[in-house]
Amino acid sequence: MVRRNGNQFVVNRRSFYVNGFNSYWLMLLAVDPSTRQKVSDVFRQAASVGLTVCRTWAFNDGGWRALQKSPSVYDEDVFKALDFVVNEARNYKIRLLLPLTNNWEAYGGKKQYVKWGKDAGLNVTNDDDFFVDPNIKSYFRYHIKTILTRVNTFNNISYKDDPTIFGWELMNEPRCESDSTGSKLQGWIQEMAYYVKLIDPIHLLAIGTEGFYGPSTADRLQVNPNSYAGQVGTDFIKNHRVLGIDFASVHIYPDSWLSDASPEAHIQFVKRWMQAHIEDAENILDMPVVFGEFGVSTKNGRFNQTFRDTFIDTVYKTVLNSTRRGGSASGCLFWQLLSEGTENMDDGYAVVLNKEPSTASIMSVQSRRIQSFNSRCNWNCRWNCKKTSSVDETSHHDDL
């Protein structure tokens, strides 16, 4: 299992830094035997450039190929597809970060839970009732228990006992815009974090936030990409002080957060945004921080692949600068990777590695850098075991 030691991840007492990716769609394509190979393809390509953690959905609430068709009712064929994803990741030595539901309407999320509540006659009127209604919260707790205690039909290992799973996220990008004070979401995080740890005290747990600062740190509101970000009910520092939360989660999307900014302004924002969260993870939270989604869209014509590569390299260098000194930046997960033949799922952010060699090369170099740190016994090691460091050999983008 990956565990937390202060502000770092460790495996068998060795540092474990992450270079990873998002492919949210794996379970959906694994349902159909004719498209299951696409899951294997993306794992194979990711492993070829040294990526070690994949973030993918462990939910699909209602709708097409739903995992949870209604509260407490599951489609066994879809669950077997998720079993396949977990087992296939294991075969490629890739660990999984699994969010348990969505803030957004895609694949159900809180909106679907509230709809189920309405259909059952509950007095709910807003999607944010997901965070406070006792019955709807019981629906979600049932889902947590069902996922965590699932026994994989491919290898007979319970999810909660499987080291292939890097950790859990309570929700993808939670927001509670009906309560800018953040109290509703804070209470929900406390309750659900406690429940997850009651069932699975060993796996890592994160919230899944975008990283927006809130009312508890007024001096940090200026770091947010805009004023609205401080009013969506999240509070980076306060949220991550909840007992049971093991690492901080932050996303990076300047192309959707910043209006009419120049490419250079985007890069400067990325550096400030990341550095603020790294500092706070170290000095206030004393926990690792993972930049769980980062990307830039090339679909709308504002940015091209060359800028995207520069953006990726900026994120990687900022993480590495922290890693070099044993800081809290413990990794990042690119949004998103596709395999060939799935381009219809491209949201503008996707990369097919064997079609974009420059991006694949940047990822591969970063993976080698990260692996050189993971090979250290601990942060007091100065290569007394006569190992030689490859970090300095790949410390600059110029070698590409």
Side-chain angles (χ1 to χ4, degrees):
M1 296 282 190
V2 181
R3 299 174 187 260
R4 169 191 165 192
N5 182 18
N7 70 342
Q8 295 176 12
F9 299 130
V10 293
V11 176
N12 296 328
R13 291 188 278 182
R14 289 178 182 264
S15 298
F16 183 76
Y17 293 96
V18 172
N19 193 26
F21 65 103
N22 286 264
S23 289
Y24 71 89
W25 45 269
L26 299 180
M27 180 178 66
L28 292 176
L29 266 63
V31 175
D32 186 341
S34 70
T35 56
R36 186 168 283 184
Q37 183 61 39
K38 303 300 181 184
V39 175
S40 305
D41 290 346
V42 80
F43 282 147
R44 182 175 59 255
Q45 291 176 30
S48 73
V49 295
L51 304 183
T52 56
V53 173
C54 170
R55 182 171 175 265
T56 191
W57 295 171
F59 64 88
N60 188 13
D61 312 309
W64 181 66
R65 290 186 179 175
L67 173 62
Q68 186 176 193
K69 298 191 289 187
S70 59
S72 77
V73 178
Y74 289 81
D75 187 315
E76 180 62 16
D77 289 337
V78 181
F79 231 141
K80 287 179 179 177
L82 184 57
D83 292 344
F84 173 82
V85 170
V86 174
N87 191 63
E88 194 71 349
R90 181 187 186 90
N91 292 337
Y92 284 94
K93 296 181 171 57
I94 290 174
R95 298 177 191 260
L96 299 177
L97 178 58
L98 299 176
L100 296 168
T101 193
N102 205 355
N103 179 70
W104 311 109
E105 186 175 352
Y107 303 97
K110 68 181 184 183
K111 187 180 186 68
Q112 181 62 62
Y113 277 91
V114 171
K115 183 179 184 301
W116 284 332
K118 287 180 180 177
D119 293 345
L122 301 181
N123 184 25
V124 289
T125 58
N126 187 291
D127 290 350
D128 287 345
D129 287 335
F130 173 86
F131 299 112
V132 294
D133 183 86
N135 293 287
I136 292 177
K137 288 192 291 183
S138 73
Y139 295 166
F140 184 58
R141 285 195 302 272
Y142 189 94
H143 179 64
I144 291 173
K145 183 177 180 180
T146 301
I147 293 290
L148 272 56
T149 60
R150 170 74 175 183
V151 176
N152 195 309
T153 55
F154 285 82
N155 55 36
N156 293 318
I157 302 173
S158 172
Y159 283 16
K160 67 184 180 64
D161 298 324
D162 193 344
T164 306
I165 295 172
F166 174 83
W168 312 105
E169 280 186 356
L170 294 178
M171 175 180 264
N172 174 53
E173 300 186 335
R175 294 184 183 186
C176 185
E177 297 179 44
S178 63
D179 175 28
S180 61
T181 70
S183 61
K184 288 182 181 179
L185 183 57
Q186 185 74 4
W188 181 84
I189 293 169
Q190 292 170 337
E191 180 178 347
M192 297 306 165
Y194 173 80
Y195 189 70
V196 169
K197 289 295 186 178
L198 198 64
I199 300 170
D200 181 1
I202 299 178
H203 275 111
L204 300 170
L205 177 63
I207 304 168
T209 59
E210 295 156 283
F212 300 139
Y213 290 95
S216 74
T217 51
D219 59 318
R220 278 300 203 190
L221 291 174
Q222 61 184 346
V223 178
N224 285 342
N226 50 58
S227 59
Y228 176 69
Q231 302 170 23
V232 297
T234 62
D235 193 317
F236 177 72
I237 298 297
K238 187 177 180 180
N239 294 160
H240 286 98
R241 281 176 160 159
V242 169
L243 184 66
I245 299 302
D246 296 301
F247 66 95
S249 49
V250 180
H251 294 178
I252 314 171
Y253 287 111
D255 65 332
S256 62
W257 293 346
L258 305 180
S259 59
D260 302 323
S262 67
E264 179 58 29
H266 279 72
I267 297 300
Q268 292 307 313
F269 168 79
V270 169
K271 293 177 180 178
R272 291 193 305 272
W273 180 249
M274 293 182 69
Q275 194 56 45
H277 289 85
I278 293 168
E279 291 172 0
D280 289 340
E282 291 174 9
N283 301 328
I284 299 176
L285 299 173
D286 188 28
M287 62 170 51
V289 58
V290 172
F291 297 92
E293 291 185 25
F294 70 97
V296 63
S297 175
T298 59
K299 183 171 284 188
N300 60 18
R302 291 176 62 198
F303 303 107
N304 57 24
Q305 183 182 330
T306 300
F307 176 78
R308 184 174 62 197
D309 286 349
T310 300
F311 170 83
I312 294 170
D313 192 53
T314 300
V315 172
Y316 282 169
K317 284 182 176 177
T318 305
V319 168
L320 195 69
N321 287 339
S322 172
T323 304
R324 282 195 180 101
R325 56 182 178 78
S328 280
S330 294
C332 53
L333 309 175
F334 175 74
W335 182 280
Q336 63 165 322
L337 293 190
L338 296 178
S339 53
E340 281 193 84
T342 62
E343 288 86 352
N344 62 309
M345 303 179 73
D346 185 2
D347 54 1
Y349 293 83
V351 166
V352 178
L353 286 174
N354 57 3
K355 289 186 173 181
E356 302 191 38
S358 66
T359 304
S361 181
I362 293 170
M363 291 182 176
S364 182
V365 169
Q366 180 73 359
S367 295
R368 294 201 303 272
R369 294 165 173 167
I370 292 298
Q371 183 55 39
S372 68
F373 286 106
N374 290 346
S375 65
R376 291 189 179 190
C377 305
N378 57 61
W379 267 99
N380 294 322
C381 177
R382 290 296 180 267
W383 310 107
N384 292 329
C385 52
K386 309 304 181 185
K387 291 180 182 179
T388 57
S389 172
S390 61
V391 176
D392 293 335
E393 298 172 17
T394 59
S395 59
H396 300 290
H397 184 51
D398 298 342
D399 61 352
L400 295 179

